[in-house]
Amino acid sequence: MSKFYITTPIYYVNARPHLGSAYTTIAADILARWHRMKGEKVFFLTGTDEHGEKVAQAAQEQNITPHELCDRNSAKFKQVFDTLKISYDRFIRTTDRNHEDMVAHILKDLKKKKLIYAGAYEGLYCVGCERYYTVKELVDDKCPLHHQKPITLSENCYFFKLSVFKKPLLQLIRNNDWVIEPKERKNEVLGFLTSGELEDLAISREKVEWGIPIPWEKSQSVYVWIDALLNYLSGIGWDGKTKKWPEAWPPDVQLIGKDILRFHAIIWPAILLTLGAPLPKKLYAHGFLTSGGKKMGKSLGNIIDPEELAVTFGADALRWLLVSTFPFGSDGDISMSRFYDKYNADLSNGLGNLVRRVLTLATKNKDTFLPPSVSDVRFKQKINLVWQDYEKALDDFKFEAAVGHISNLITFCDRYIDHKKPWKLFKENKDSYQKVIYNLLESLRHLAWLINPFMPGKSNDIFKYLGIESAEKKKPLTQGQKWGQVDFIKVTQGEILFPKL
Ligand code: MSP
């Protein structure tokens, strides 16, 4: 059985989940559901990133322990992910015992391989990002994300010999053995690697107590990014010792936002190379959601709460809107009026209206429609084409294109109704009426399959109204994709799927 293993980044536990952070996870969930639908063995990993100075500071401000803060906030992430119907297989927390133990093992291993050495680091550190910046990377002397001046930090620490990976990484990327998409992001990494020396990486911090201690020097703790990246291995149950990689390694894709590209495109593969682990098959960095033209994020105070939007639009519709309003690889400014317009156009007047129209026409006089002896070639071809385009789009992470193909089928059906006028046929030609309604019910069934990864709840509703819910759930996709073999024997009118807003 083929497999599909997918990861999202783990979310900073001291931030509230916002629409930007929900974006990566919703996209990953759509892919996970699509691959499960194809019958593949899926493992979908997400979770929370729980160590570091910021977490300790936040806990102190709230008069609670860092542990309490992490428990409370990671539970909040889980709750939001449940609301958004995220079907992860494991929710890893970097405070999980197996993760902490594994990180300690790996550090010892890297030291044994002489890839870690002691030194001192002085640099410009942004507390908001929990990372050092070079002068070149600052904008007007300020952190480009937080618009705050970084502080100068000087401390004893351990370094990881990242510099030795410059050449191998360049070669891997150029040969497409380390696949970074979309191509703008690949070029960005190549540009960075070729623009100067790749410096060794400070991987420990003094005085940060809320972190995983360096096993041989407990006064230091491991840099949060090293800790965090390793979740991808502990999250699938690797203990850091055996050389047998878990079945779910390597991932087929690691989805990230473009802000954390360098960590994932340079530091992460370097660690994997030292461990002798195969590299992920693909790293895909999507664009930013912006609000008022600025990256949506806690520190800029422009966040949109995904739970509120799920109340307004419903979780299913929100998932659809979020991935279809602009292409996945690009940035997109989120505006509520655009969401309302798109909701009304695609869902209320589009899919919802079509379902209502067909079910009303079908249930007016009877509730049973059997396949005609000869199936409609035009419909059969149309459906096959839609599936082909849709699959290609999803395999290329073009969610907006996949949604476009679904919408195209909806328009095709609407035009078919206008053209055939089944209400007239009912009076004039019962046989034709029967065939037309059958084609439309069959199209709704296909639409329910097609929207399933995006809107699992609404997909089920359509199956239910068509009276085929349990039968369709048992089918493999290849069976579901066939045209004209289902008997509709208990069609009901159902409820309005997407009330107008
Ligand atoms: N904890 C780190 C990741 C460690 S992974 C080893 C982190 N966390 S985060 O909570 O800030 O971001 C998590 C994900 O949400 C990232 O993929 C990030 O790009 C994404 N987004 C956060 N804000 C975003 C937008 N405004 N728009 C789109 N995605 C954004 O980084």
Side-chain angles (χ1 to χ4, degrees), residues 71-237:
D71 286 348
R72 190 193 64 197
N73 290 11
S74 68
K76 179 73 197 164
F77 270 93
K78 281 189 173 169
Q79 177 205 315
V80 171
F81 287 173
D82 285 349
T83 304
L84 299 174
K85 307 189 180 175
I86 306 299
S87 60
Y88 55 79
D89 293 288
R90 176 160 179 202
F91 187 99
I92 174 135
R93 301 178 53 187
T94 52
T95 51
D96 286 345
R97 185 64 194 273
N98 85 305
H99 173 80
E100 297 191 342
D101 289 350
M102 189 208 69
V103 173
H105 279 301
I106 290 178
L107 288 170
K108 282 192 247 168
D109 186 44
L110 296 190
K111 186 156 180 266
K112 228 193 292 160
K113 289 178 175 146
K114 303 213 181 322
L115 285 162
I116 288 182
Y117 63 90
Y121 190 89
E122 187 178 294
L124 299 165
Y125 188 81
C126 171
V127 181
C129 298
E130 297 196 275
R131 60 163 283 197
Y132 286 100
Y133 275 96
T134 60
V135 176
K136 218 166 65 182
E137 288 172 315
L138 301 177
V139 177
D140 297 333
D141 296 334
K142 289 178 183 155
C143 155
L145 281 181
H146 293 89
H147 309 297
Q148 273 173 358
K149 283 202 171 179
I151 53 172
T152 303
L153 264 191
S154 166
E155 56 184 343
N156 289 326
C157 67
Y158 287 94
F159 282 87
F160 170 58
K161 286 192 189 164
L162 187 61
S163 54
V164 300
F165 292 94
K166 178 175 164 167
K167 264 201 182 144
L169 281 173
L170 274 170
Q171 200 175 3
L172 284 163
I173 298 171
R174 285 182 178 139
N175 292 348
N176 260 339
D177 290 322
W178 175 222
V179 182
I180 302 166
E181 284 184 6
K183 78 173 179 309
E184 295 88 322
R185 302 280 91 84
K186 172 182 174 172
N187 291 340
E188 185 184 326
V189 177
L190 283 175
F192 178 77
L193 282 172
T194 46
S195 69
E197 283 312 302
L198 182 61
E199 286 174 18
D200 287 344
L201 178 75
I203 56 149
S204 68
R205 297 277 317 273
E206 275 180 326
K207 304 176 212 113
V208 175
E209 280 164 27
W210 184 241
I212 301 177
I214 296 287
W216 59 90
E217 188 161 343
K218 304 270 178 207
S219 64
Q220 301 233 359
S221 64
V222 66
Y223 174 43
V224 278
W225 265 100
I226 299 291
D227 170 359
L229 286 165
L230 288 169
N231 93 83
Y232 298 127
L233 286 171
S234 60
I236 52 169

Side-chain angles (χ1 to χ4, degrees), residues 9-12 18 20 24 49 225 228 232 257 259 286 288-289 296:
I10 45 172
Y11 297 87
Y12 285 130
H18 60 82
T24 321
D49 186 351
W225 265 100
Y232 298 127
D259 52 335
H286 63 69
F288 280 161
L289 302 192
M296 194 184 300

